[in-house]
Amino acid sequence: PQIVVSVYGPDFFGNDVVRGYGAVHVPFIPGRHTRTIAMFVPESTSKLQKLTSWFTGRRPEFTDPKVVAQGEGRE
């Protein structure tokens, strides 16, 4: 099993924007465990989208949170 985390925070204008996504596997063994979650932020795919997100202050977000739990496309 995995836990998927989406972190949001305020930007300069006070809007909630995505700060990062991460996923970590949950241990099967009962007890106390410490896990570190590697976080990442998706990037715009084109220069026009980068320019638009810079003007509007909105970063790209995933529409489906299941994408974070998959390993495809992270090379």
Side-chain angles (χ1 to χ4, degrees), residues 3 9 11 30 33 36 43-44 55-56 64 74:
I3 292 179
D11 65 357
H33 302 279
T36 302
E43 294 185 9
S44 300
F55 277 119
T56 61
D64 184 13
R74 291 205 198 168

Side-chain angles (χ1 to χ4, degrees), residues 4-8 18-23 36-41 68:
V4 176
V5 178
S6 301
V7 179
Y8 289 85
V18 66
R19 296 292 183 187
Y21 295 101
T36 302
I37 302 175
M39 303 295 289
F40 66 94
V41 179
V68 178

